[in-house]
Amino acid sequence: DLKRYKERSQNWVYGYEIFTSSPTTFAPATDIPISGDYILGPGDEVKVQIFGNRNFQLNSFITRSGEITLPEIGPVSLVGLNLNQAIDLINKKVSSKLIGTEAYITLGKLRTITVYVLGEAYQPGSYKVSSFSTLTNLLFVTGGVSEIGSIRNIQVKRDGKTISSFDLYDVLLKGDTSKDVLLQQGDTIFIPLIENKAAVYGSFRRPHLFELKEGDTLGNLISYAGGLKNQVRIDGKLELTRFAKDSIKVRQLDIKDTSWLSTVVRDGDTLSAQADSALTHGIVELTGEVKYPGFYQIKRKEKLSSIIKRAGGYSDSAYPYGAVFTRTTVAAQQRLSYERSADYLEQSIADAV
């Protein structure tokens, strides 16, 4: 239920919840264009259409030795080539062997590859996926990271070397998928432990617990949280709480002095923002014979005369010695009192009868 979910999610870093609704099955998109840098391998289906002096069509799967066999031409090795290179090679073979003939090459079914998900993954193990799968596809099919796994340092290892370190915040906060990795046979996705975290509370647009990367500043942390709300930017309070060796230090930050934005955030830091309560005490509606009737935001302990002054004062037709002042909380209490009185009266009449 919702209560249990809130209790469990209190210590989740921002981004983890995206995997809570991951699909239990995964079917990669098959109706999108395949880029020319797609690497061919055994199991991929190559469709070759020959036209000109010769006309025929061939659908052939790349064999384990990495070849397809073209009629009247012979075997052509495609393993390790990308799609563009394979198209160029087949065209050259066809034009040199079959004079006056051209070839049109496309891909049919794509092979499956085996990849490994290790470390602090939600479901570590080996997975068979389409060769057109990317790192983010695999993260969703496997349920993503565990509650203590990093979502900002997801490593892709190939042939024993780390070829990419993926930061999921680029996707979640910026919509940037340019660093997503197309997986290859035998790739390993390794998810290390979270190293550093910092919490953001109060009047931020997106208060949460965030994972930190080395060198992240308070400015970065505020950006992750979506920035400050308007009231804080006008006249709010910011506090940075930091754990020392044997104490807790609280630092007040001047909202008008931005030099602290370059302060490097440490593991366990807490940044809180609080709007001045005087700015958010409430809203009143002023109607009748004033120059500018309407809704006005009031400050704590502000008087009615101040609101009238802000509304431009009385109009020429105003009668300043008489006014109607209503308060919703008082009206609600009065209505409740009337209802209780009516119920009491009905009961008294019933008892008398």
Side-chain angles (χ1 to χ4, degrees):
D1 58 358
L2 181 60
K3 182 179 180 181
R4 184 180 177 184
Y5 175 82
K6 288 182 177 180
E7 291 176 353
R8 289 180 53 225
S9 62
Q10 284 181 352
N11 295 321
W12 290 355
V13 296
Y14 178 77
Y16 179 83
E17 62 272 16
I18 195 174
F19 298 113
T20 59
S21 58
S22 295
T24 55
T25 59
F26 172 63
T30 57
D31 57 351
I32 59 178
I34 299 176
S35 63
D37 58 359
Y38 172 77
I39 303 297
L40 299 176
D44 283 331
E45 183 184 23
V46 180
K47 296 183 176 182
V48 183
Q49 184 176 358
I50 303 296
F51 57 93
N53 291 335
R54 300 281 193 278
N55 292 280
F56 61 87
Q57 182 173 336
L58 171 71
N59 297 344
S60 178
F61 288 93
I62 299 177
T63 65
R64 291 185 178 181
S65 60
E67 299 175 338
I68 62 171
T69 301
L70 298 176
E72 303 183 40
I73 294 176
V76 180
S77 179
L78 301 178
V79 68
L81 300 181
N82 63 36
L83 180 58
N84 285 336
Q85 292 170 335
I87 291 174
D88 290 340
L89 178 60
I90 294 174
N91 278 325
K92 289 179 181 179
K93 294 279 188 181
V94 170
S95 60
S96 63
K97 299 288 185 179
L98 304 175
I99 305 301
T101 304
E102 296 182 4
Y104 176 73
I105 301 99
T106 59
L107 289 180
K109 296 180 180 179
L110 301 180
R111 69 188 186 277
T112 59
I113 59 175
T114 301
V115 294
Y116 305 92
V117 181
L118 303 174
E120 298 303 326
Y122 181 73
Q123 292 180 328
S126 63
Y127 292 85
K128 287 188 177 296
V129 295
S130 165
S131 57
F132 205 51
S133 299
T134 64
L135 171 60
T136 53
N137 294 149
L138 188 64
L139 288 175
F140 278 102
V141 69
T142 60
V145 305
S146 70
E147 295 185 18
I148 59 174
S150 171
I151 61 174
R152 302 197 64 190
N153 185 28
I154 302 172
Q155 301 169 11
V156 180
K157 298 178 181 290
R158 185 173 296 162
D159 298 327
K161 298 179 181 179
T162 301
I163 65 165
S164 176
S165 179
F166 186 73
D167 185 350
L168 194 60
Y169 280 10
D170 288 338
V171 177
L172 297 179
L173 301 179
K174 304 175 185 177
D176 180 9
T177 59
S178 61
K179 296 180 181 178
D180 203 359
V181 179
L182 184 65
L183 300 176
Q184 295 186 17
Q185 171 67 29
D187 280 354
T188 297
I189 288 77
F190 179 74
I191 302 173
L193 288 164
I194 296 178
E195 294 186 358
N196 299 307
K197 298 179 290 184
V200 173
Y201 297 112
S203 296
F204 291 91
R205 290 193 175 95
R206 192 191 298 123
H208 217 289
L209 180 66
F210 293 93
E211 182 180 353
L212 302 175
K213 294 184 75 172
E214 185 176 355
D216 273 350
T217 64
L218 288 176
N220 297 133
L221 188 59
I222 292 175
S223 177
Y224 300 154
L228 297 164
K229 292 184 178 179
N230 291 334
Q231 296 93 329
V232 181
R233 291 201 299 266
I234 297 172
D235 187 16
K237 298 177 182 179
L238 283 172
E239 286 185 350
L240 174 64
T241 304
R242 175 167 291 175
F243 291 94
K245 291 183 179 179
D246 54 357
S247 63
I248 298 177
K249 296 182 179 180
V250 179
R251 175 184 171 189
Q252 299 287 338
L253 304 176
D254 186 353
I255 195 74
K256 298 178 182 179
D257 179 12
T258 58
S259 60
W260 51 265
L261 289 173
S262 59
T263 302
V264 176
V265 188
R266 297 179 185 175
D267 182 36
D269 281 356
T270 299
L271 183 64
S272 62
Q274 181 180 0
D276 190 340
S277 59
L279 294 177
T280 58
H281 184 59
I283 295 176
V284 298
E285 183 181 11
L286 193 62
T287 60
E289 297 301 326
V290 291
K291 291 184 178 179
Y292 305 109
F295 293 93
Y296 289 86
Q297 191 174 53
I298 60 172
K299 299 178 181 179
R300 189 173 297 277
K301 297 183 179 181
E302 187 172 10
K303 296 181 178 180
L304 178 60
S305 58
S306 173
I307 305 297
I308 295 174
K309 184 177 181 181
R310 289 164 55 191
Y314 298 116
S315 68
D316 294 337
S317 303
Y319 179 70
Y321 302 105
V324 177
F325 182 84
T326 59
R327 180 169 290 169
T328 56
T329 54
V330 174
Q333 292 176 355
Q334 288 179 338
R335 183 170 58 254
L336 181 61
S337 178
Y338 292 153
E339 291 174 353
R340 287 177 177 175
S341 298
D343 292 341
Y344 177 75
L345 181 59
E346 290 179 359
Q347 185 64 41
S348 298
I349 294 175
D351 293 339
V353 174

